Amino acid sequence: MLSEFIFSEYEKGIANTDSGNDSEADEEETNVEESSEIEADDDINNVYIPDGMIYLNKDVQVEVEVLRPIANPREELDKLVGCDNIKHRMDELVALASYNKTMHELFPDSRQHEVSLHSIFFGKPGTGKTTVCKIFGSLMRQAGALTKGHVVMCDRGTFIGTLWGDEERALQQVLDKAYGGVLMIDEAYLLNSQHPHDPGKAVIQLLMKVLADEKQRNIAIVLCGYKEPMMKMLDLNQGLASRFPNRFEFKDFTVEELMEITRRRLKDYDYTFTDQAWEKYGSLLSQAYAVRDPQTWGNARFVANQLERIYIKHAARCVQQQPADKLLWRTITPDDIVPIEVPLAKARIGF
């Protein structure tokens, strides 16, 4: 009877958080095939996107982030700094999905190519995995491979509850929410620990069942994380590895690419560096890059954090000096460029 009570509470939660959308959700659930073509032609803002609340049991609930699809994914992909290998692979998937759609219209009775969108994103923090995932979903929506293109972001904490069966309930709910879009599981290897009784293993096994269902085409599952532990997880589970044919590797940005990322972030706030400030910043960034620890280097996230420190120093200076020229309030000088703190590599124990 406990499971009945849990799902009763879950349904109440859905009713409370999605009030006003019940009829729309019901129609979507019962008429997916009929509504998909219509929905694909609707304005992007009219696409129904579920909330992010997950009910593990009557006492535990978690909230996941749900990213709406974007209207101009091709433009956003082109704007990305670097990532040429990823852009090329995305173009190939879009072309195949578009080809399939056209072939189905021209030859509806012929067998079509099966396009698997399930993917692995290898890369460290700050290399753009989440950004590309959002673009990926929207690109596949435009190509007709997905009906919504939104992204549901999860990690180990999304699935691990306090009662037996929480993992299955959580997975089913995130799959339902991600239907028509992308289910992104960050640091997916944390679900595959060596402990024989780790509940995360149940999530992997349940996920395998979903991946084995060839009818589950209107969803893309993306596993993200550092390359080495991700490869280890896939090596230990060849069945899982075979279900993810698309592999994208997000490499560290070069110094030149990090400088370009800096330029673009400065435009967000209309800041300008003086030539001397830009030279000082570039020199410090190059020094930090040269001694970076590959395991802790933050890439674009590192740049964002550094700029925040510069903005704070700049704001304090302007408040103190009160420049008469208003343009100076948005001009970064060498005095604003603070030393760059680089995380030190952790000492290794052993031989």
Side-chain angles (χ1 to χ4, degrees):
M1 304 309 293
L2 176 61
S3 62
E4 293 180 6
F5 179 77
I6 290 173
F7 281 103
S8 174
E9 291 297 304
Y10 164 63
E11 290 167 359
K12 290 178 185 176
I14 293 296
N16 290 335
T17 55
D18 286 346
S19 59
N21 291 324
D22 290 346
S23 60
E24 186 177 1
D26 291 342
E27 181 180 350
E28 180 188 50
E29 188 172 349
T30 55
N31 297 309
V32 171
E33 293 184 3
E34 295 179 9
S35 65
S36 61
E37 292 185 6
I38 298 173
E39 184 180 72
D41 294 332
D42 284 346
D43 181 81
I44 198 77
N45 294 322
N46 293 330
V47 177
Y48 169 74
I49 303 299
D51 71 285
M53 193 60 68
I54 305 296
Y55 297 83
L56 278 67
N57 58 60
K58 65 183 180 69
D59 297 319
V60 179
Q61 62 189 50
V62 296
E63 188 167 10
V64 298
E65 187 173 3
V66 182
L67 306 177
R68 292 193 63 85
I70 55 179
N72 53 347
R74 181 67 244 182
E75 289 182 27
E76 295 302 317
L77 186 64
D78 289 338
K79 288 179 184 177
L80 292 179
V81 176
C83 305
D84 290 341
N85 61 321
I86 293 169
K87 294 175 184 178
H88 177 69
R89 182 62 181 138
M90 287 286 175
D91 284 339
E92 290 180 336
L93 283 176
V94 169
L96 181 55
S98 299
Y99 174 84
N100 257 16
K101 183 179 180 181
T102 301
M103 291 295 287
H104 181 67
E105 294 169 353
L106 296 175
F107 308 101
D109 297 328
S110 298
R111 181 178 178 182
Q112 307 299 320
H113 293 285
E114 295 181 349
V115 182
S116 175
L117 302 181
H118 305 318
S119 306
I120 302 289
F121 283 11
F122 300 116
K124 289 178 279 187
T127 50
K129 298 188 297 298
T130 300
T131 299
V132 171
C133 206
K134 183 166 65 172
I135 294 172
F136 179 45
S138 298
L139 281 172
M140 292 301 109
R141 177 183 184 273
Q142 286 190 347
L146 296 174
T147 55
K148 293 187 177 186
H150 63 300
V151 180
V152 177
M153 300 177 61
C154 303
D155 57 21
R156 176 185 169 88
T158 305
F159 305 102
I160 308 304
T162 58
L163 300 176
W164 181 87
D166 283 354
E167 297 78 30
E168 184 172 4
R169 283 185 285 273
L171 180 60
Q172 187 57 58
Q173 289 174 64
V174 296
L175 287 170
D176 290 343
K177 292 180 183 295
Y179 187 77
V182 178
L183 172 59
M184 174 181 172
I185 304 179
D186 197 20
E187 295 188 302
Y189 42 78
L190 295 180
L191 293 168
N192 196 48
S193 78
Q194 296 181 355
H195 195 287
H197 302 299
D198 180 11
K201 291 182 177 294
V203 178
I204 295 293
Q205 294 303 316
L206 292 167
L207 194 60
M208 286 285 291
K209 294 180 180 179
V210 174
L211 293 167
D213 185 357
E214 295 298 330
K215 296 179 181 179
Q216 294 281 1
R217 289 291 174 187
N218 194 18
I219 188 172
I221 299 175
V222 177
L223 306 183
C224 302
Y226 287 91
K227 184 175 182 178
E228 185 176 341
M230 287 291 286
M231 288 300 300
K232 185 177 181 180
M233 179 182 74
L234 296 174
D235 289 342
L236 293 174
N237 193 330
Q238 292 299 318
L240 182 66
S242 66
R243 299 296 178 179
F244 289 87
N246 307 306
R247 310 289 174 90
F248 299 87
E249 184 169 0
F250 294 72
K251 299 179 180 179
D252 280 347
F253 291 109
T254 65
V255 173
E256 291 74 19
E257 290 169 342
L258 291 173
M259 293 292 281
E260 177 59 28
I261 290 171
T262 302
R263 290 189 189 94
R264 297 186 183 191
R265 288 184 176 272
L266 290 174
K267 289 182 180 179
D268 292 340
Y269 297 96
D270 296 323
Y271 280 114
T272 302
F273 272 40
T274 66
D275 291 341
Q276 295 82 3
W278 187 249
E279 183 178 350
K280 180 179 179 181
Y281 173 81
S283 176
L284 289 174
L285 182 61
S286 297
Q287 293 173 28
Y289 189 86
V291 298
R292 73 191 188 283
D293 176 12
Q295 299 303 317
T296 59
W297 181 249
N299 288 283
R301 192 175 301 174
F302 180 88
V303 167
N305 291 339
Q306 189 63 25
L307 286 177
E308 285 300 318
R309 298 180 64 223
I310 291 173
Y311 297 155
I312 292 172
K313 183 71 178 292
H314 169 75
R317 181 179 60 79
C318 287
V319 169
Q320 182 181 19
Q321 297 178 0
Q322 294 292 308
D325 185 346
K326 68 177 184 179
L327 293 180
L328 295 178
W329 288 79
R330 290 193 178 278
T331 302
I332 305 296
T333 71
D335 291 337
D336 302 325
I337 308 300
V338 296
I340 295 181
E341 298 178 358
V342 182
L344 298 177
K346 296 181 179 178
R348 296 180 179 274
I349 300 176
F351 299 94

